[in-house]
Amino acid sequence: SLPHSGQGSLYLIGINKFRDINDSVGHHNGDKLLIHIAERLKQQLQDEATLARIGGDEFAVFMPNTNSDSDISLVERRLHQLLAAPFVLDGETVVIKVSIGVVRTQPDQTMSLWLRNASIALSYAKQDSRTSVCHYSPEMASASKFRTQMIAKIQTGIDNREFVPFYQPIIDLASGNICGAEALARWHSDSGMVSPLDFIPIAEESGMIKTIGQQILFQACSDTRKAIDSRRWPEDFQLHVNVSVHQLSSPNFVESVAKVLRTTGLPATNVTLEITESRIIDSAPTTLDNLLKLREMGLGIAIDDFGTGYSSLAYLHALPFTCLKIDRTFINRLTKENLDSSVVSAIINITKGMKTNVVAEGVETAAQAQLLSSLGCNQVQGFYYSRPMPMEEWPTHLVNMK
Ligand code: C2E
Ligand code: MG
Ligand code: MG
């Protein structure tokens, strides 16, 4: 363990992608690599520093008396150089990259606090692809404390089934009929209603989105089955459900969708899964496989927030989509004057001749609806028609439908 000796600096070194290295060289060599790293650090630093291995693939270096900015950056450079030279394991050469979390230590603080703060800084350094070193600051601790608390709350929310779908109607412009609805997740937490924009990113990072997504899908399919049975919704009603790439890239996702459909008795042809454009591009190969399988089962695939990503049409062509949802920023910008040169017009023209539904998102005014209608857009969704609402409040009469 490290001595408790006041003013100095503490460096927590983490090996990037150690698990991948371990998988490719084997666990035996992975262990050897750690020993080599420890030896190198010892050889070069043991006279000036105190060294320790903290957990699996992290090493701590404590430098007493090193406290100035220039001294600290010197140490950072030394550590990087020291570990940049290749390691040789059983004749195999391994090059590692490291991230470093740095804390300036104070005499009135404890070692465990230094280590905790260094660990927070290290996790920031690992997350930020632009830099490999991060200096601890108190804002980081409160942000990560917030995150930790949020994760615990989301877990409780999952256990208590606090995540429920609200429904926003999708309207067929030509007939004015409701032809479907998008299920949008809402979290009734004990501290009030939480927007998906606030919990989805954390749920995705932590993997909990899989469970939440599954709960929403199940509830939405079950609600739709009941609404069709009671003739509230027509037989060919399209239920749209958002799915995260974390769900889609999972090998058992297709089976879990099939199970929900079997359990609820809702035909696959009643369901369209929405995927955000920008997120599909660099996702795992499983994602495309899964999309193809889902399409084969009869589900629709919608590209959400279309136009905001950077996907090429050539790439999109490989995706088995049945629907494009034009992001609301493009609907916002529509005017009589720019209509013909608008992105919306271009998208509608491209999809002519393809069997693709085009849904305009975020329609807020009658004027927008009129412009969209003149462009030949077939479906619309937005506050002008209805806000997302719980099933009990589903509108039987939409004022703005036609
Ligand atoms: P999205 O899928 O693009 O959903 C549309 C969002 O636009 C919804 O926000 C909706 O309330 C909002 N919206 C609808 N009409 C209008 C309008 O006329 N004007 C304006 N300004 N906004 C409008 P919401 O419900 O806050 O959802 C935000 C995002 O969270 C969704 O964007 C979707 O990406 C994600 N999300 C929601 N539910 C789920 C879910 O169950 N699973 C996953 N993975 N993501 C979800
Ligand atoms: Mg959506
Ligand atoms: Mg959208």
Side-chain angles (χ1 to χ4, degrees):
S1 76
L2 300 169
H4 184 274
S5 55
Q7 206 149 45
S9 47
L10 176 70
Y11 307 77
L12 191 61
I13 306 169
I15 303 158
N16 294 353
K17 303 199 170 158
F18 182 70
R19 210 183 295 159
D20 293 351
I21 299 174
N22 219 8
D23 286 347
S24 72
V25 301
H27 288 256
H28 175 68
N29 277 332
D31 288 346
K32 265 199 186 160
L33 174 64
L34 293 172
I35 294 168
H36 283 310
I37 293 172
E39 277 170 358
R40 237 187 239 182
L41 290 170
K42 222 154 99 186
Q43 259 173 19
Q44 301 285 328
L45 298 165
Q46 72 180 351
D47 296 342
E48 327 150 50
T50 309
L51 306 170
R53 183 171 159 204
I54 311 284
D57 57 346
E58 292 177 3
F59 295 89
V61 175
F62 176 66
M63 292 281 208
N65 311 319
T66 307
N67 212 259
S68 73
D69 284 350
S70 59
D71 285 352
I72 287 177
S73 69
L74 198 67
V75 175
E76 290 165 6
R77 252 177 296 149
R78 273 180 73 194
L79 290 173
H80 272 302
Q81 266 164 17
L82 188 69
L83 298 169
F87 293 87
V88 181
L89 310 165
D90 282 350
E92 199 175 342
T93 305
V94 177
V95 178
I96 60 166
K97 287 219 167 85
V98 298
S99 299
I100 306 176
V102 185
V103 185
R104 215 179 286 255
T105 61
Q106 304 296 336
D108 58 340
Q109 296 171 334
T110 62
M111 176 58 71
S112 65
L113 181 70
W114 298 344
L115 281 171
R116 198 205 73 188
N117 291 349
S119 162
I120 290 168
L122 176 59
S123 66
Y124 273 78
K126 281 192 169 176
Q127 274 166 35
D128 190 341
S129 54
R130 291 163 305 176
T131 171
S132 55
V133 182
C134 192
H135 290 222
Y136 172 77
S137 72
E139 300 82 68
M140 287 178 183
S142 52
S144 96
K145 198 168 156 200
F146 171 81
R147 204 176 158 272
T148 313
Q149 285 171 346
M150 188 74 165
I151 288 175
K153 273 203 212 159
I154 292 175
Q155 190 54 56
T156 316
I158 290 173
D159 297 342
N160 297 344
R161 307 217 148 237
E162 290 167 2
F163 295 91
V164 296
F166 271 32
Y167 298 93
Q168 186 177 35
I170 298 174
I171 289 105
D172 179 83
L173 250 185
S175 66
N177 290 333
I178 298 181
C179 53
E182 175 172 8
L184 292 157
R186 294 291 178 265
W187 181 14
H188 292 284
S189 81
D190 32 290
S191 44
M193 252 297 247
V194 186
S195 151
L197 300 173
D198 293 331
F199 66 82
I200 300 253
I202 295 178
E204 284 192 334
E205 263 173 56
S206 59
M208 290 185 290
I209 190 69
K210 286 188 188 168
T211 318
I212 297 174
Q214 194 67 7
Q215 288 186 357
I216 296 287
L217 181 68
F218 181 85
Q219 193 57 51
C221 287
S222 160
D223 283 348
T224 304
R225 178 72 268 176
K226 283 182 203 144
I228 292 174
D229 286 345
S230 64
R231 303 191 177 276
R232 219 166 157 200
W233 286 354
E235 205 78 48
D236 61 353
F237 193 88
Q238 272 304 300
L239 169 71
H240 286 239
V241 182
N242 295 285
V243 292
S244 139
V245 281
H246 286 253
Q247 293 170 270
L248 255 185
S249 60
S250 150
N252 58 17
F253 181 64
V254 175
E255 179 44 36
S256 72
V257 172
K259 197 174 159 202
V260 168
L261 295 174
R262 271 199 310 274
T263 317
T264 58
L266 187 68
T269 48
N270 282 105
V271 182
T272 292
L273 300 179
E274 296 192 0
I275 327 138
T276 304
E277 182 194 14
S278 57
R279 307 293 303 277
I280 335 168
I281 308 304
D282 39 31
S283 68
T286 342
T287 305
L288 184 59
D289 282 354
N290 281 348
L291 283 175
L292 291 166
K293 283 188 197 135
L294 291 161
R295 215 21 232 127
E296 231 163 75
M297 282 163 57
L299 289 104
I301 307 293
I303 313 278
D304 205 349
D305 303 341
F306 187 66
T308 58
Y310 45 81
S311 50
S312 66
L313 279 171
Y315 180 84
L316 275 182
H317 201 70
L319 297 176
F321 64 93
T322 54
C323 172
L324 290 181
K325 299 193 75 175
I326 308 177
D327 191 70
R328 67 164 178 270
T329 49
F330 301 108
I331 313 303
N332 248 323
R333 287 181 213 152
L334 274 187
T335 62
K336 225 184 212 154
E337 289 68 38
N338 68 14
L339 197 60
D340 292 331
S341 60
S342 66
V343 172
V344 183
S345 158
I347 294 172
I348 291 169
N349 280 325
I350 290 167
T351 53
K352 268 182 190 147
M354 295 164 87
K355 275 194 180 154
T356 307
N357 266 331
V358 178
V359 182
E361 296 186 304
V363 178
E364 292 181 349
T365 65
Q368 287 168 349
Q370 211 132 46
L371 294 172
L372 288 162
S373 169
S374 73
L375 285 174
C377 176
N378 55 348
Q379 295 179 354
V380 282
Q381 180 183 349
F383 294 167
Y384 175 59
Y385 301 96
S386 166
R387 290 191 174 255
M389 54 186 64
M391 194 54 157
E392 312 86 74
E393 289 166 36
W394 179 261
T396 40
H397 302 287
L398 284 177
V399 192
N400 295 316
M401 247 159 44
K402 181 77 194 185

